[in-house]
C-alpha cells in the first residue's frame, strides 16, 4: 500500500497559494512519495532485498500468481521490491501511472526503443542530444530497418514535416538539450504529435530532473531520466528510468525481463536515498548556477554563456513558461582557442574534471576533448561544439567559492 499522495499535482513553486496544503509539494513527494505507510520489519528506510529468486508455498500459489490473484515477485530478473520502491517514488515525482527502472540511462533508452519500434518505423529526433542515443539510432536501429531523421530543436516546421511521414512512430527530444541547453517547447511538440495518429512523444528530461520540468504535464507520453545524474545526485550510481501510462509500462517491464536489463537492488536503494533530497539539492543547483552564469556573462574573458536562466538565452521565455527552475548546467565559451580553454580548466581548483553531471560535486569538461574527442574540429563545428566550449555541472559547493575560483583561473590565462 502506498501513502495517500495524489501524484498528479501541480508544481509547488508555481502553485496557487490558496491551494497550498491541498496537494503535496515536490519536497514532500521526494521524501515520502511512492512509499508504503510502513516498510517490512517496520523499517523507516526502504530495505534492500537481496535475493535472486522468490519462494512459493505450494503449487496453488504458483497458479494464484500466474492468474493474478496475488501480487508477488517470481524471479529476480522480473522484479525486486527495492527496485519497485524506487520506481514508485519516480512515478510520484514525474506524475506518471508507472515507471520502469533500468541499470543505466542508456539501457532505459535502448530497451524502450527496441520494445517500441519495428522494421520500417521512423523516428524523429532533435539534434544537440545525447550522442549515444543518436549513435544507437544510426547503428543498431538502422541495422534493424528503423529509419530516423534529425531535426534542429527549434525548427518546429521541420519537426512537423518529419513527424508527418506515414511510418513515424516516435518523436524523441531532450529538455534541456546537452551541451547547448536548448529548452524545447514540449507543449508545442505534443501538439504536433497530437495532429498525427500513433506518434508518441518521448522526452529525455535528465538535465531538468522532475523538480524543474515534468514533461508528462505538458503532453509528453513518455519521460526518460538518466537517474545517474540529478535523481541519484551523488555521482555514486548508474540507473535509468522510463515513466508513462500503465499499458506501455507493463509492456516495457516485460521487455526488460526478456533483455535482462534489471537493475541491482543496491543501486535502487542508493537512488531512493538520493531522491529524498532531490528538492533541496535542485533548488540549490538552480540558485548557484544562475549566479555563476551571471558572473561568467559579465566577465571579459568569457565570450558567451549558454544558460536558460539568462535573458540572452534564445529559449529563456520557453524555459520561464515550462520550467520551475533553470537547472544546474552552465555551458560557456572562453575567449581563446582549444588550449587557452584547457588552461582555464586546468587552473580551476574546485571543479573536478570529469564527464557526467547532476551530483553534489561540481564537474567540468571541455566537450571537444571529452565527449566529442574523436571528431575533427570541422565535424565538431558542424554540430555546434566549439573548441573553446566548457560544460559545467554546478554542484553544492558554495557559489562564492566557485566564483572566486573561476575568477582566479580567468585572471591567469
Ligand atoms: C547521461 C545521459 C544519458 C545516459 O545515461 P547513463 O546513465 O549514463 O547510461 C542519457 N541522456 C542524457 C541526457 C544524459 O545526460
Amino acid at each position: 500500500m502506498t501513502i495517500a499522495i495524489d501524484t498528479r499535482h501541480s508544481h509547488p513553486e508555481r502553485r496557487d497559494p490558496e491551494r497550498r496544503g491541498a496537494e503535496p509539494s515536490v519536497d514532500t513527494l521526494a521524501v515520502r512519495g511512492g512509499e508504503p505507510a510502513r516498510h517490512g520489519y517496520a523499517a523507516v528506510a526502504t530495505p534492500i532485498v537481496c535475493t535472486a529468486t522468490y519462494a512459493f508455498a505450494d503449487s496453488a500459489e504458483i497458479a494464484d500468481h500466474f492468474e493474478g490473484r496475488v501480487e508477488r515477485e517470481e524471479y529476480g530478473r522480473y522484479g525486486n521490491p527495492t527496485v519497485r520502491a524506487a520506481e514508485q517514488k519516480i512515478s510520484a515525482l514525474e506524475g506518471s501511472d508507472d515507471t520502469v527502472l533500468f541499470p543505466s540511462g542508456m539501457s532505459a533508452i535502448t530497451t524502450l526503443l527496441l520494445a517500441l519500434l519495428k522494421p520500417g518505423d521512423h523516428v524523429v529526433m532533435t539534434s544537440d542530444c545525447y550522442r549515444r542515443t543518436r549513435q544507437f539510432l544510426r547503428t543498431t536501429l538502422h541495422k534493424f530497418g528503423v529509419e530516423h531523421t534529425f531535426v534542429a530543436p527549434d525548427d518546429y516546421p521541420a519537426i512537423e514535416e518529419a513527424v508527418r511521414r506515414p511510418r513515424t512512430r516516435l518523436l524523441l527530444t531532450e529538455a534541456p538539450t546537452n551541451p547547448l541547453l536548448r529548452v524545447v517547447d514540449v507543449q508545442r511538440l505534443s501538439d504536433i504529435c497530437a495532429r498525427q495518429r500513433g506518434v508518441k512523444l518521448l522526452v529525455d528530461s535528465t538535465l531538468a530532473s522532475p523538480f524543474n520540468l515534468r514533461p508528462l504535464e505538458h503532453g509528453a507520453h513518455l519521460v526518460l531520466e538518466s537517474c545517474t545524474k540529478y535523481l541519484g545526485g551523488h555521482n555514486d550510481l548508474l540507473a535509468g528510468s522510463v515513466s508513462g501510462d500503465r499499458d506501455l509500462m507493463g509492456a516495457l517491464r516485460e521487455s526488460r525481463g526478456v533483455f535482462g536489463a534489471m537493475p541491482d537492488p543496491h543501486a535502487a536503494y542508493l537512488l531512493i536515498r538520493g531522491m529524498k533530497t532531490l528538492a533541496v539539492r535542485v533548488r540549490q543547483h538552480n540558485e548557484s548556477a544562475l549566479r555563476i552564469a551571471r558572473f561568467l556573462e559579465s566577465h571579459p574573458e568569457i565570450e558567451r554563456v549558454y544558460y536558460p536562466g539568462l535573458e540572452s538565452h534564445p529559449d529563456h521565455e520557453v524555459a520561464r513558461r515550462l520550467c520551475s527552475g533553470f537547472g544546474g548546467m552552465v555551458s560557456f565559451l572562453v575567449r581563446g582557442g582549444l588550449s587557452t580553454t584547457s588552461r582555464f580548466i586546468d587552473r580551476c581548483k574546485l571543479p573536478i574534471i570529469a564527464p557526467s553531471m547532476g551530483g553534489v560535486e561540481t564537474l567540468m569538461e571541455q566537450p571537444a576533448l571529452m565527449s566529442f574527442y574523436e571528431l575533427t574540429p570541422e565535424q565538431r563545428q558542424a554540430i555546434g561544439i566549439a573548441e573553446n566550449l566548457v560544460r559545467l555541472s554546478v554542484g553544492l559547493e558554495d557559489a562564492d567559492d566557485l566564483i572566486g575560483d573561476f575568477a582566479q583561473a580567468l585572471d591567469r590565462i
Side-chain angles (χ1 to χ4, degrees):
M1 198 197 78
T2 53
I3 56 173
I5 284 184
D6 179 7
T7 58
R8 296 190 179 276
H9 57 290
S10 59
H11 201 286
E13 319 266 307
R14 45 172 64 213
R15 197 162 58 170
D16 177 356
E18 300 271 292
R19 303 198 56 198
R20 212 168 278 263
E23 298 165 332
S25 79
V26 75
D27 294 66
T28 304
L29 290 171
V31 180
R32 305 286 297 281
E35 302 214 7
R38 247 165 90 112
H39 291 291
Y41 310 109
V44 171
T46 306
I48 304 176
V49 181
C50 268
T51 186
T53 189
Y54 303 88
F56 287 85
D58 52 26
S59 305
E61 196 180 348
I62 300 176
D64 284 344
H65 165 60
F66 282 110
E67 284 154 32
R69 285 189 294 272
V70 289
E71 270 221 27
R72 50 154 297 147
E73 304 296 355
E74 177 192 337
Y75 177 60
R77 185 161 28 77
Y78 305 136
N80 174 282
T82 315
V83 170
R84 193 77 202 113
E87 293 174 340
Q88 281 167 347
K89 193 178 282 298
I90 297 171
S91 292
L93 289 165
E94 301 283 6
S96 66
D97 283 355
D98 198 5
T99 294
V100 185
L101 193 71
F102 292 89
S104 69
M106 274 321 291
S107 120
I109 293 171
T110 56
T111 307
L112 175 66
L113 296 190
L114 285 170
L116 221 56
L117 300 164
K118 58 183 180 310
D121 284 349
H122 175 236
V123 179
V124 180
M125 184 172 174
T126 53
S127 52
D128 189 40
C129 280
Y130 195 66
R131 59 189 296 248
R132 299 298 174 198
T133 307
R134 286 191 272 173
Q135 183 180 356
F136 182 67
L137 285 175
R138 272 201 313 267
T139 57
T140 312
L141 286 183
H142 179 74
K143 193 171 76 182
F144 291 123
V146 175
E147 294 181 40
H148 63 266
T149 306
F150 292 121
V151 191
D154 55 352
D155 192 346
Y156 296 98
I159 292 172
E160 174 133 33
E161 194 187 309
V163 166
R164 286 169 59 123
R165 281 177 49 175
R167 298 294 300 271
T168 304
R169 294 262 292 129
L170 188 70
L171 170 56
L172 165 52
T173 191
E174 284 175 19
T177 64
N178 176 19
L180 297 180
L181 308 173
R182 298 302 306 257
V183 184
V184 297
D185 189 338
V186 178
Q187 188 67 54
R188 203 161 159 186
L189 295 188
S190 95
D191 292 344
I192 289 176
C193 289
R195 288 197 279 276
Q196 308 304 317
R197 274 170 57 110
V199 180
K200 296 228 178 302
L201 175 60
L202 162 62
V203 180
D204 176 341
S205 194
T206 298
L207 268 66
S209 91
F211 182 84
N212 282 335
L213 175 69
R214 279 198 299 275
L216 300 179
E217 284 179 1
H218 302 288
H221 301 98
L222 294 155
V223 58
L224 190 140
E225 305 276 351
S226 164
C227 308
T228 311
K229 316 294 169 52
Y230 288 101
L231 288 182
H234 293 76
N235 291 319
D236 59 0
L237 67 91
L238 289 167
S241 66
V242 180
S243 305
D245 72 44
R246 210 170 301 285
D247 290 349
L248 260 170
M249 292 306 100
L252 184 60
R253 193 168 272 115
E254 288 257 346
S255 296
R256 180 182 68 182
V258 174
F259 294 147
M262 185 67 189
D264 186 272
H266 293 92
Y269 172 79
L270 282 177
L271 175 57
I272 293 166
R273 181 177 159 127
M275 286 191 288
K276 297 237 174 194
T277 55
L278 179 77
V280 281
R281 281 188 289 107
V282 177
R283 198 175 283 120
Q284 186 61 50
H285 287 302
N286 289 341
E287 191 184 312
S288 297
L290 182 60
R291 285 191 51 204
I292 289 168
R294 290 209 170 112
F295 161 77
L296 292 169
E297 194 171 45
S298 69
H299 198 287
E301 294 301 328
I302 298 296
E303 188 182 314
R304 178 165 178 189
V305 180
Y306 302 88
Y307 185 68
L310 295 176
E311 290 75 13
S312 59
H313 190 279
D315 304 321
H316 181 61
E317 285 310 315
V318 178
R320 282 176 57 121
R321 185 154 42 81
L322 296 189
C323 305
S324 32
F326 302 112
M329 300 298 298
V330 181
S331 294
F332 54 95
L333 303 178
V334 174
R335 210 170 281 290
L338 188 81
S339 58
T340 310
T341 305
S342 302
R343 213 153 48 234
F344 161 71
I345 290 178
D346 292 345
R347 290 199 172 149
C348 289
K349 297 187 177 107
L350 264 179
I352 297 168
I353 303 173
S356 199
M357 64 187 82
V360 293
E361 292 88 5
T362 293
L363 305 184
M364 189 157 67
E365 64 143 333
Q366 190 171 356
L369 294 187
M370 184 88 75
S371 319
F372 297 88
Y373 69 95
E374 81 277 34
L375 304 187
T376 65
E378 293 72 35
Q379 285 170 327
R380 284 197 285 264
Q381 202 188 359
I383 54 170
I385 306 298
E387 306 296 280
N388 56 340
L389 177 67
V390 177
R391 190 185 77 179
L392 173 71
S393 170
V394 177
L396 298 185
E397 300 90 343
D398 183 79
D400 286 326
D401 290 346
L402 287 164
I403 287 171
D405 192 28
F406 295 135
Q408 66 77 24
L410 287 168
D411 282 348
R412 294 170 59 226
I413 59 172

